[in-house]
Amino acid sequence: MIIEMKFSHKWIYSGDGTNTIKLRNFYNELSKAIEGKATVSQEGIGYYKISTKRNEKNDEKEIVEKILNLSDKIMPDLPEDCVEILFEAQETEKREGDAGEEKKPTAIDRINDLIGLDDFKKYCNEIALNAGVIKARKSIFFSETLLCSCDEGNGFSENLLLLKKLFSETGLISSDKTYEVNFGSYFDKPESFPVIYVTDSISCLNVFDISGWIGYTNDERFKKGLKAISQSKMQSPIFFKMGHRSKSVIEETLKDINDILNVRLIDFPELTDEQLYAYAEREFEAMEFKPDEKTPEVFKAICDYEKADGLFYGTNTVKKVAREMVRVSIKSGSNQVINSEACRSIVPEREITEDSMKTIENMIGMQEVTRQMKEIVAQVKFSRASGKKSPAMHMFFVGNPGTGKTTVARAIGQIFRENDILRVGKFFENKGRDLCAEYIGQTAVKVNNICKSAYGSVLFIDEAYSLATERDDKDYGKEAIDTLIAEMENHSDDLVVIFAGYPEEMEGLLKTNPGLRSRIPYRIVFPNYTKDELYQIFIKMVENNGYTIEDGFAQHVKDFFLSLPDELLESKQFGNGRFVRNIFERTWGKAILRCAPGASEVPPLSTADFDAATAEFNSSKPESSSKKIGF
């Protein structure tokens, strides 16, 4: 007897793609359940044939029951009208031994067995299902191009080979070659833009890398390249490749390509922790090792360590970690099972540190700044969790020198990464004038390269107001700001730009370029420290460095800071925290002079050390001093 099962394609491809996984599980479980009594073969997507070995009614009845029971167990939500079961009684022609041969997995079998990658699987299954129709109407089907968003290690190159095999097995391409062209960069000279064409003479995969144009795909040069592609015969699949970017950037890129070509997104997302471990399990199995009970926990800890610097290369890193865990297990004497306890040594022991938000909370005088940071984090996380457009995260840091702007900005990258707001969370610092080049046409390139390095991180621009100061006829500050604004718009979900500077000068910057104000929603004010806060900062520096002090030292220091004139603290030349740090470093420097030869510790700080240090500062008349206090 032969039983045919045909599942509705509408049901197979509905929802989030899990129905294809259910079908694969059904096929695998059914093969095991009827082994020895019947064989099951896949004739197409959702089309199975179950052939009994003997025409014995009892066996046939048992097989039918197993089919129905497994179907109810694995696919309980399957509507009755979405599956057709046909019974045909006939003698099978298979010779003895044929039934036991393993069927070699096809390209679509291997694709459906991949971990994650739902977009990619759905596209491939459509190819497998409609291969006959596509072959007759290639130019129509391949007029839909694919935009593949994928970072290194998330499977693009590896799975492109599987897709090529699928196209070859279905007769849709005649060559195993891949025609690859890099579109170059928006910042290339016009004459260096590559000649774009699609190979009409041979049927192969066409891959165009457009990573250098992301954010600038509306440019006429880019559109010219798309037009060249659109004028081809469209006899081959066409892929546009870009790195993984924020949702808004991907949507803008899709829109610009769609102006000329039909385009569909194939997303290769970052693998979840569960998917990374599932991939690792396959690596362990390939090396003939089994995980022990603690392996998932230790594997995650190692991956978290690998991610700590913001650089993680997906399955490439997983392979590295899995091989290292096997190597360590073998060294520990285990040849079949992962020794998770031994593998803990792969992650260096690190001191337990406080989270980055506490770094700001523990800074003197940062209560209001901490409150604003928590508010920003909560707003962005809520927006993303609820599916709303995430607000821009760019900020103004306004305050005098030494008020903690750089320290807080450095912590923000880590705070945003810890809260899954930024991918990388690094800190890049530039002075405002660093963004300007020497010759015409170079400033935009320079600014874009600076921003590109900071994608997924924080770009801190100190003395930003200097960009609004015209120094000569060839000043390129305006060009730098205009380019920066474009980058802030195009990468608002993946880049935090912080402008920092004096309060008055920053207001002047906004007046010269009103467009900045509307694009930067957050204004964080860093007020001058009070006299008591300056004293607290000094004492905290002493404690953090483990120095001891003589009796009466703390009160003597406090009296000094409380006696500072108000005009000094209000002066632009006053360095706030820098002023305190300079006095502190000079104080313990004076103490070292009292050390005995060969001593390895700083003696207790004395009031004499402190007085000798402060004597080097003319604190009462900052404007007439030849040395600017605090610098």
Side-chain angles (χ1 to χ4, degrees):
M1 182 179 73
I2 294 178
I3 304 168
E4 294 186 13
M5 297 187 71
K6 295 181 180 179
F7 292 84
S8 163
H9 292 142
K10 183 179 180 181
W11 176 80
I12 293 173
Y13 298 118
S14 64
D16 58 1
T18 57
N19 290 341
T20 59
I21 298 175
K22 292 177 183 177
L23 273 181
R24 187 169 73 249
N25 292 339
F26 172 73
Y27 175 78
N28 293 335
E29 291 297 319
L30 182 60
S31 299
K32 296 176 185 176
I34 63 177
E35 186 176 6
K37 294 185 177 180
T39 58
V40 56
S41 60
Q42 182 173 325
E43 305 298 318
I45 304 300
Y47 177 23
Y48 304 109
K49 272 189 178 182
I50 300 97
S51 304
T52 59
K53 285 187 174 182
R54 302 183 299 275
N55 281 326
E56 295 180 9
K57 296 299 180 184
N58 289 337
D59 285 350
E60 292 172 358
K61 182 179 179 181
E62 181 184 348
I63 290 168
V64 171
E65 286 180 355
K66 286 183 177 181
I67 291 171
L68 296 176
N69 289 338
L70 275 174
S71 177
D72 290 340
K73 176 185 174 182
I74 296 174
M75 299 171 286
D77 55 346
L78 175 67
E80 289 186 9
D81 60 350
C82 287
V83 60
E84 182 181 7
I85 303 178
L86 303 174
F87 299 90
E88 180 183 351
Q90 77 178 51
E91 193 73 33
T92 59
E93 298 292 332
K94 286 190 175 290
R95 298 189 307 271
E96 188 71 27
D98 284 354
E101 292 181 4
E102 288 189 17
K103 182 182 177 183
K104 188 176 180 181
T106 63
I108 195 63
D109 291 332
R110 293 171 62 188
I111 288 168
N112 283 327
D113 198 42
L114 293 172
I115 295 168
L117 305 180
D118 291 340
D119 282 0
F120 180 69
K121 288 179 183 176
K122 186 173 182 180
Y123 174 75
C124 292
N125 279 289
E126 290 172 8
I127 295 292
L129 181 64
N130 300 293
V133 177
I134 296 170
K135 197 170 184 180
R137 297 173 177 268
K138 281 187 181 182
S139 60
I140 295 176
F141 187 84
F142 290 135
S143 65
E144 179 187 60
T145 61
L146 291 306
L147 174 63
C148 299
S149 172
C150 182
D151 282 334
E152 184 179 350
N154 286 356
F156 179 78
S157 299
E158 178 182 342
N159 294 314
L160 197 65
L161 296 176
L162 278 178
L163 182 58
K164 191 187 298 184
K165 184 174 177 59
L166 173 63
F167 279 124
S168 179
E169 287 181 358
T170 51
L172 293 175
I173 60 174
S174 56
S175 169
D176 62 354
K177 294 183 178 179
T178 301
Y179 171 62
E180 296 188 50
V181 172
N182 193 316
F183 259 52
S185 168
Y186 166 78
F187 307 106
D188 291 339
K189 296 177 181 179
E191 59 269 21
S192 65
F193 188 82
V195 176
I196 302 299
Y197 66 94
V198 177
T199 54
D200 291 329
S201 57
I202 58 173
S203 181
C204 66
L205 267 61
N206 297 272
V207 179
F208 299 97
D209 191 334
I210 61 170
S211 301
W213 286 83
I214 302 306
Y216 304 94
T217 47
N218 199 35
D219 185 89
E220 186 53 40
R221 287 183 297 155
F222 183 82
K223 294 293 180 72
K224 185 178 179 181
L226 297 183
K227 290 173 184 175
I229 294 172
S230 71
Q231 292 165 5
S232 68
K233 294 179 181 178
M234 297 289 189
Q235 295 294 311
S236 306
I238 295 169
F239 298 86
F240 295 105
K241 178 186 175 185
M242 62 178 283
H244 207 276
R245 292 289 180 264
S246 64
K247 182 179 178 182
S248 60
V249 172
I250 291 175
E251 288 176 349
E252 190 66 27
T253 306
L254 284 168
K255 176 177 147 312
D256 288 340
I257 295 176
N258 201 54
D259 286 342
I260 296 173
L261 294 165
N262 293 318
V263 63
R264 168 180 176 176
L265 176 65
I266 303 291
D267 191 18
F268 290 76
E270 292 183 7
L271 297 175
T272 64
D273 288 342
E274 291 75 17
Q275 290 170 335
L276 290 173
Y277 182 67
Y279 196 95
E281 283 187 304
R282 294 186 179 184
E283 291 294 311
F284 294 146
E285 185 179 355
M287 291 180 279
E288 300 182 348
F289 264 74
K290 294 181 179 179
D292 67 6
E293 190 176 313
K294 295 286 186 180
T295 298
E297 172 193 327
V298 174
F299 173 80
K300 184 179 185 304
I302 298 172
C303 285
D304 288 345
Y305 171 72
E306 291 284 345
K307 295 175 182 178
D309 62 355
L311 300 174
F312 189 81
Y313 299 102
T315 56
N316 292 334
T317 301
V318 170
K319 288 179 183 178
K320 184 191 85 168
V321 171
R323 289 167 185 166
E324 180 67 1
M325 292 181 75
V326 168
R327 187 184 69 81
V328 171
S329 298
I330 292 173
K331 286 178 65 178
S332 72
S334 176
N335 292 321
Q336 291 182 321
V337 180
I338 297 295
N339 185 337
S340 58
E341 288 305 313
C343 291
R344 291 185 190 276
S345 64
I346 295 174
V347 178
E349 290 188 12
R350 292 183 293 179
E351 294 182 6
I352 298 175
T353 58
E354 60 191 13
D355 64 72
S356 300
M357 187 67 81
K358 288 191 179 297
T359 300
I360 301 178
E361 289 178 346
N362 292 336
M363 291 174 64
I364 304 297
M366 291 293 167
Q367 294 84 355
E368 179 59 19
V369 172
T370 301
R371 183 196 67 76
Q372 288 179 282
M373 286 299 113
K374 289 182 176 179
E375 182 181 305
I376 293 169
V377 168
Q379 183 181 9
V380 174
K381 290 182 73 173
F382 176 82
S383 297
R384 293 186 177 181
S386 59
K388 298 179 181 178
K389 181 175 173 57
S390 176
M393 301 173 286
H394 310 304
M395 308 176 196
F396 285 117
F397 277 15
V398 179
N400 287 330
T403 48
K405 299 187 296 297
T406 304
T407 304
V408 171
R410 194 181 299 275
I412 284 176
Q414 293 299 315
I415 290 170
F416 280 13
R417 186 168 67 84
E418 289 165 6
N419 284 276
D420 296 323
I421 293 174
L422 286 177
R423 299 180 288 118
V424 183
K426 288 188 176 182
F427 177 79
F428 297 83
E429 181 178 6
N430 292 88
K431 297 288 187 183
R433 299 306 301 182
D434 292 343
L435 274 62
C436 298
E438 186 176 357
Y439 301 106
I440 189 168
Q442 293 182 340
T443 293
V445 176
K446 187 174 185 180
V447 172
N448 276 280
N449 286 336
I450 288 173
C451 290
K452 187 176 181 180
S453 299
Y455 289 165
S457 298
V458 170
L459 174 60
F460 183 74
I461 303 174
D462 201 8
E463 301 176 7
Y465 50 81
S466 62
L467 291 170
T469 305
E470 293 189 7
R471 301 185 176 185
D472 52 47
D473 293 340
K474 296 181 180 179
D475 189 88
Y476 304 118
K478 184 179 183 304
E479 183 183 358
I481 293 175
D482 291 343
T483 308
L484 199 54
I485 288 175
E487 285 284 345
M488 290 163 61
E489 283 281 323
N490 293 328
H491 300 277
S492 60
D493 291 351
D494 198 43
L495 174 67
V496 175
V497 178
I498 299 176
F499 293 84
Y502 292 106
E504 297 83 1
E505 283 81 350
M506 292 297 283
E507 282 299 318
L509 172 65
L510 292 176
K511 289 177 181 177
T512 59
N513 199 307
L516 276 176
R517 193 186 298 273
S518 62
R519 290 171 173 83
I520 305 178
Y522 302 110
R523 187 175 188 270
I524 314 296
V525 177
F526 291 76
N528 289 336
Y529 289 110
T530 65
K531 297 175 184 180
D532 184 63
E533 286 171 343
L534 294 173
Y535 160 71
Q536 292 180 51
I537 292 171
F538 185 94
I539 294 301
K540 194 168 186 178
M541 287 180 178
V542 173
E543 294 172 350
N544 289 344
N545 285 273
Y547 296 153
T548 57
I549 58 176
E550 293 182 350
D551 292 342
F553 179 83
Q555 186 60 50
H556 186 75
V557 171
K558 187 172 187 177
D559 292 342
F560 169 81
F561 283 110
L562 293 179
S563 68
L564 292 175
D566 292 338
E567 59 267 26
L568 170 65
L569 273 63
E570 295 168 2
S571 169
K572 274 190 178 183
Q573 283 75 37
F574 184 62
N576 283 279
R578 296 179 193 171
F579 172 69
V580 177
R581 184 177 66 247
N582 286 338
I583 292 180
F584 166 71
E585 290 176 349
R586 282 174 170 78
T587 298
W588 69 264
K590 303 297 181 186
I592 288 177
L593 296 176
R594 296 188 285 105
C595 286
S600 59
E601 294 184 1
V602 177
L605 305 182
S606 69
T607 57
D609 297 328
F610 184 78
D611 289 342
T614 57
E616 298 180 4
F617 293 86
N618 184 1
S619 57
S620 59
K621 298 179 180 180
E623 294 183 1
S624 62
S625 173
S626 59
K627 181 184 291 185
K628 292 183 179 181
I629 295 178
F631 291 87

